[in-house]
Amino acid sequence: MELKNLKINGKEYSVPNDMTILEACRHVGVYIPTLCWLKDINEIGACRICVVEVKGARSLVASCVYPVSELRPDSEIFTNSPAVIESRKTTLQLILSNHERRCLSCVRSGSCELQTLCNEYGVEDEGKFDGANNTYEIDATATHMVRNNNKCILCRRCSAVCSKIQSVAVIGPNERGFKTHIGCAFEADLGDVACVSCGQCINVCPTGALTERDDTDKVFAALNDPSKHVIVQTAPSIRVALGEEFGMPIGSIVTGKMVAALKRLGFDGVFDTNFSADLTIMEEANEFVERFTKKENLPLITSCSPGWIKYCEHYHPDMIPNLSTCKSPQGMFGASAKTYYAEKMGIDPKDIVVVSVMPCTAKKFEAERVDHSAVKGLPDIDVAITTRELARMIKKCGIMFTALPDEQFDKPFGLGSGAGTIFGATGGVMEAALRTAAIKYLGVELPSIELNQVRGVDGIKEAEFNLGGTVVRVAVASGLANANKLLKMVKSGEKTYDFIEIMACPGGCVNGGGQPIQPASVRNFVDLRAVRAAALYEDDRQLPVRLSHENEDIKAIYDEYFGKPGSHRAHEVLHTGYTVRSRY
Amino acid sequence: MRNKLETIPFKDTPEQKAQLEAIIAEFKDVPGSLVQVLKRAQEVYGYLPLEVQMTVASGLDVPLEDVYGVVSFYSLFSIYPKGEHRISVCLGTACYVKGSGDIYDALQQKLGIKGGTCTPDGKFSLDACRCVGACGLAPVLTVGDEVYGRLTVKDVDGILAKYGA
């Protein structure tokens, strides 16, 4: 690697020549603040917060887009000279001049990147440049999120993620100059466009302009209603992310504390979505073996990710026959709760409120798909909240999360296998399904149940497995742009697979749109996908049962209720259907 | 997609449709040709309604929002049709200080439309323009090729009446 000698803040360094000034500074331990910059996704040098002084240059330069290779050898860079500090402060004041400064009640107060910078740079006179303001209606038409453009700083991180990572591209900058705003084509509401509800835009929003729809009041109302039996399920990837909301390191496994917190919130039953992930595997592995044997509607494509499902319905409706008919683990849990659990406990399903805690905003949309619910007229899921909303509830109730003891999930949906836990990482559903398909349905020994070929954060992964003499070709994609690429190859005949796993969010649910928000200063340098996924794989290793079909609670539910996977009753309760939706 | 901006119903002829398809076919594989295509499409239709933008988006395999983003960025492009009588009010410096802003507001009110748009019957469209080179007659407006100068708000009704409003 070619190196270049630079002087940064008076000290001499040799830095790789292929970096930007910002990366080079970071490389030697000098932090430069940013607002618009997202590595590889949004490198537009627009916000002017990352400006630095290059000795001899006419003006300050945007370090995020200035290549070190274009500097003269032995250039001198100052990242915190008075001119730089003054410029950043002025930029912040200019942004504030057209920003709704209702910070006290803003859901992002404390995690707002703009607020943090204003604080760091001592922007006391926040109204210095006050003048004309744009006012925008709040768009609350989407099921999963709320857009408040009055808090938007036009960094374009949301639209970059929407188009480059998800290839959905329903939001972008409209108009120009002072009137510029992020919106949809023809100023349509978010609820009226082909948005897939993935929530990745919320995760990268530096301010409170984009937020999940807050459903915590519904949960509190149910918990305070004595006539309701309120139960909760938590998705696999909540346990490796929730701790971040309470200052714990990224990748902390907090299963026990999470259960303890939910019990203290007053839920009548605290259950594990890992259980219903195992149930999904029983059904989906069975479905795969059936389709694979009959060579019908292959490749089978997983249906756990509701963002992916909505994307498929809008953008690849011709692939709907390939989708697994299995409800997602969230859906299977709700469906089982209102049938099997209601019967077992002797409770009228009308009085059961099923709350799910999901790493995902699209789960809110999924919860409102009621056309295939298990009990006619009742939704499978009553309220779906995100990891962030759960953290908010815990804080509001004064529960000291880090000081909680570890507690256990309740019966009868309390056991989850390692196969269920890895659902939260890209490739996990594939791995879990292949473990059960091979061992349980095909009677084949696997050399190891850890299928490393489908692990890792690569956007598209391919593998072949020899299951008792037949070769199964699989592919795994995460991030919808990758899914789109993969499906195009499948449709053109360039690639042939038997089984495909698709997750809408890059890296899978661990990086879902409902997960704790990490600022760009962290996102740009820490691979959240990998760190949180590593925790899930660790959790898998530690669990006594690592195969879905060996989960005792799963055996019980089939013995007592469903009979066998793919049975008539299983189909009625655990399977679903899809809708063709238009692109525009 | 529901269209939040109100526009008058879209009509096109088979000729226009064929022309648009030919334009798209010509530029389909040329990267960065969106502005070109939109400019030509506007020459065909006179404006760029949702239906035309959707055809361009799917024809060039570009997201609709990208198309709309470009259309709303450039003042050259309009998503509203032009009326049978095109009214342009000069908001240049000389006219503006002589009160053309009030005339513009009065026209918006009387026609019941916003500047840049067209009446639902397709009769009048209203735009602001920058200097028609008749500053001596300020404030000035034009209807088609006809120039009206030294106006006050009181003159607006009379001018509109001439065109059958």
Side-chain angles (χ1 to χ4, degrees):
Chain A
M1 187 177 25
E2 208 184 321
L3 294 175
K4 183 169 248 168
N5 294 330
L6 293 179
K7 222 176 189 184
I8 299 172
N9 296 339
K11 277 196 75 170
E12 283 176 19
Y13 300 97
S14 277
V15 298
N17 207 24
D18 60 352
M19 286 184 168
T20 60
I21 294 178
L22 186 141
E23 288 168 322
C25 288
R26 179 86 185 199
H27 185 69
V28 301
V30 174
Y31 168 68
I32 296 173
T34 58
L35 274 176
C36 69
W37 185 62
L38 274 188
K39 193 169 165 48
D40 299 331
I41 301 167
N42 199 41
E43 302 182 327
I44 57 175
C47 74
R48 317 307 293 179
I49 288 295
C50 71
V51 289
V52 296
E53 199 175 330
V54 176
K55 200 172 179 182
R58 262 187 318 119
S59 57
L60 301 180
V61 303
S63 63
C64 70
V65 289
Y66 202 108
V68 166
S69 59
E70 286 184 16
L71 290 170
R72 272 185 243 114
D74 302 310
S75 285
E76 280 192 61
I77 293 166
F78 301 95
T79 67
N80 51 17
S81 66
V84 168
I85 301 286
E86 192 50 39
S87 167
R88 289 183 190 153
K89 191 170 170 179
T90 306
T91 301
L92 289 167
Q93 284 168 324
L94 286 168
I95 294 173
L96 288 178
S97 74
N98 193 24
H99 182 76
E100 184 184 87
R101 299 194 295 263
R102 294 179 57 202
C103 303
L104 291 181
S105 56
C106 181
V107 70
R108 289 294 300 275
S109 188
S111 69
C112 171
E113 294 179 34
L114 177 62
Q115 186 187 47
T116 306
L117 282 173
C118 287
N119 201 293
E120 283 173 4
Y121 283 83
V123 181
E124 287 164 3
D125 190 359
E126 56 197 39
K128 186 171 179 186
F129 299 117
D130 274 356
N133 264 248
N134 288 316
T135 44
Y136 298 100
E137 266 176 59
I138 292 175
D139 182 353
T141 56
T143 316
H144 65 296
M145 69 181 286
V146 176
R147 172 164 69 196
N148 181 355
N149 270 350
N150 301 302
K151 291 181 180 171
C152 174
I153 60 164
L154 296 170
C155 66
R156 292 160 171 78
R157 277 156 48 167
C158 57
S159 57
V161 164
C162 191
S163 63
K164 291 185 193 162
I165 301 295
Q166 300 298 57
S167 80
V168 169
V170 289
I171 50 171
N174 291 344
E175 304 216 42
R176 71 192 292 179
F178 190 59
K179 282 185 182 168
T180 309
H181 59 278
I182 302 297
C184 305
F186 279 77
E187 310 303 341
D189 289 329
L190 262 177
D192 290 330
V193 297
C195 163
V196 303
S197 310
C198 71
Q200 285 296 314
C201 54
I202 304 172
N203 279 11
V204 298
C205 181
T207 70
L210 302 176
T211 53
E212 64 285 346
R213 184 184 74 187
D214 190 303
D215 288 317
T216 56
D217 282 350
K218 290 182 201 160
V219 183
F220 280 124
L223 287 170
N224 287 316
D225 182 345
S227 69
K228 297 291 182 197
H229 182 81
V230 190
I231 60 175
V232 65
Q233 59 165 325
T234 57
S237 33
I238 313 300
R239 68 205 65 195
V240 295
L242 182 62
E244 292 169 36
E245 291 277 356
F246 301 93
M248 296 167 80
I250 298 167
S252 303
I253 305 176
V254 296
T255 320
K257 291 189 194 309
M258 173 183 74
V259 172
L262 290 165
K263 291 191 172 172
R264 278 154 186 72
L265 283 171
F267 287 99
D268 299 306
V270 178
F271 301 120
D272 197 350
T273 311
N274 287 14
F275 160 81
S276 50
D278 283 335
L279 194 54
T280 305
I281 286 304
M282 296 302 288
E283 294 294 322
E284 196 159 341
N286 178 63
E287 185 182 20
F288 171 67
V289 172
E290 268 180 21
R291 285 204 205 179
F292 185 69
T293 322
K294 292 189 202 151
K295 300 283 172 226
E296 224 174 56
N297 289 332
L298 293 176
L300 172 71
I301 311 180
T302 58
S303 57
C304 304
S305 164
W308 146 243
I309 291 299
K310 194 157 185 267
Y311 181 78
C312 183
E313 291 175 329
H314 281 296
Y315 299 90
H316 293 279
D318 52 325
M319 298 301 280
I320 287 178
N322 295 74
L323 291 177
S324 162
T325 60
C326 291
K327 284 180 184 171
S328 72
Q330 166 177 263
M332 285 202 182
F333 178 90
S336 304
K338 299 213 172 166
T339 54
Y340 166 74
Y341 178 80
E343 263 180 44
K344 196 178 167 82
M345 305 292 286
I347 306 171
D348 185 339
K350 281 203 282 295
D351 294 326
I352 299 180
V353 176
V354 178
V355 175
S356 40
V357 184
M358 295 286 137
C360 178
T361 47
K363 289 285 175 192
K364 290 179 189 285
F365 182 82
E366 184 186 277
E368 294 188 8
R369 288 172 177 255
V370 289
D371 43 342
H372 288 83
S373 56
V375 180
K376 284 278 157 293
L378 288 183
D380 287 342
I381 303 297
D382 294 276
V383 193
I385 61 171
T386 59
T387 318
R388 298 191 288 268
E389 289 165 87
L390 173 60
R392 224 170 281 153
M393 290 181 69
I394 294 171
K395 288 174 190 168
K396 204 176 203 174
C397 290
I399 297 166
M400 293 165 69
F401 187 80
T402 50
L404 288 171
D406 285 352
E407 291 181 11
Q408 299 280 323
F409 285 111
D410 295 320
K411 284 289 201 186
F413 302 142
L415 280 183
S417 76
T421 217
I422 59 172
F423 260 58
T426 168
V429 177
M430 176 62 71
E431 181 170 342
L434 288 174
R435 287 181 191 176
T436 288
I439 300 168
K440 162 101 174 155
Y441 296 120
L442 299 168
V444 181
E445 280 300 312
L446 289 171
S448 160
I449 60 162
E450 294 190 358
L451 307 176
N452 287 317
Q453 303 95 311
V454 292
R455 295 187 176 188
V457 295
D458 289 348
I460 298 178
K461 292 168 277 188
E462 293 178 283
E464 287 189 357
F465 295 97
N466 190 332
L467 302 182
T470 37
V471 173
V472 176
R473 294 155 299 181
V474 307
V476 173
S478 73
L480 292 169
N482 292 320
N484 189 36
K485 203 164 128 193
L486 184 69
L487 291 181
K488 281 186 175 166
M489 292 193 286
V490 169
K491 288 185 197 178
S492 71
E494 190 186 335
K495 297 276 185 181
T496 311
Y497 304 106
D498 304 307
F499 196 2
I500 296 177
E501 178 208 287
I502 296 179
M503 292 292 154
C505 294
C509 313
V510 285
N511 188 31
Q515 291 284 51
I517 289 175
Q518 288 292 349
S521 54
V522 172
R523 291 185 81 88
N524 283 328
F525 298 98
V526 177
D527 193 341
L528 294 176
R529 304 169 301 176
V531 183
R532 290 176 184 158
L536 281 182
Y537 288 117
E538 177 57 31
D539 195 40
D540 169 35
R541 267 191 298 279
Q542 286 174 4
L543 286 166
V545 177
R546 300 180 67 187
L547 300 168
S548 300
H549 56 274
E550 288 180 357
N551 177 342
E552 291 302 326
D553 285 355
I554 291 289
K555 288 182 190 165
I557 200 172
Y558 278 105
D559 286 347
E560 293 171 32
Y561 199 71
F562 290 122
K564 60 182 181 41
S567 68
H568 180 67
R569 189 177 244 178
H571 264 280
E572 278 190 334
V573 175
L574 304 177
H575 289 251
T576 186
Y578 307 103
T579 317
V580 175
R581 298 175 201 270
S582 73
R583 189 171 192 147
Y584 298 125
Chain B
M1 192 191 85
R2 252 193 302 157
N3 179 1
K4 204 176 174 196
L5 295 173
E6 273 179 47
T7 49
I8 65 172
F10 173 66
K11 283 184 284 213
D12 72 345
T13 62
E15 293 77 42
Q16 286 174 319
K17 213 174 161 198
Q19 282 179 51
L20 180 59
E21 275 163 17
I23 296 165
I24 290 169
E26 186 184 340
F27 289 95
K28 200 170 173 32
D29 302 312
V30 188
S33 58
L34 180 58
V35 172
Q36 243 337 305
V37 171
L38 289 171
K39 186 171 168 286
R40 300 264 208 106
Q42 182 155 295
E43 283 161 14
V44 173
Y45 288 94
Y47 72 121
L48 295 168
L50 176 63
E51 291 78 0
V52 173
Q53 291 190 34
M54 288 202 291
T55 310
V56 171
S58 52
L60 297 181
D61 198 16
V62 170
L64 180 63
E65 163 50 32
D66 284 9
V67 176
Y68 179 77
V70 168
V71 169
S72 63
F73 184 89
Y74 291 106
S75 58
L76 166 76
F77 296 128
S78 173
I79 60 166
Y80 300 100
K82 293 298 163 215
E84 192 186 324
H85 306 292
R86 301 173 175 206
I87 307 175
S88 282
V89 180
C90 177
L91 294 185
T93 313
C95 289
Y96 194 80
V97 297
K98 285 282 200 176
S100 66
D102 296 335
I103 294 170
Y104 190 57
D105 291 342
L107 280 164
Q108 295 192 75
Q109 207 190 353
K110 291 202 192 297
L111 295 170
I113 57 171
K114 275 193 186 167
T117 70
C118 182
T119 52
D121 59 4
K123 205 147 185 192
F124 293 98
S125 58
L126 176 65
D127 285 295
C129 68
R130 295 279 177 268
C131 198
V132 291
C135 307
L137 298 177
V140 169
L141 68 76
T142 60
V143 183
D145 295 330
E146 205 68 41
V147 180
Y148 298 85
R150 298 213 174 92
L151 301 171
T152 64
V153 172
K154 279 185 225 148
D155 299 318
V156 167
D157 282 338
I159 296 172
L160 289 178
K162 269 182 80 173
Y163 297 90

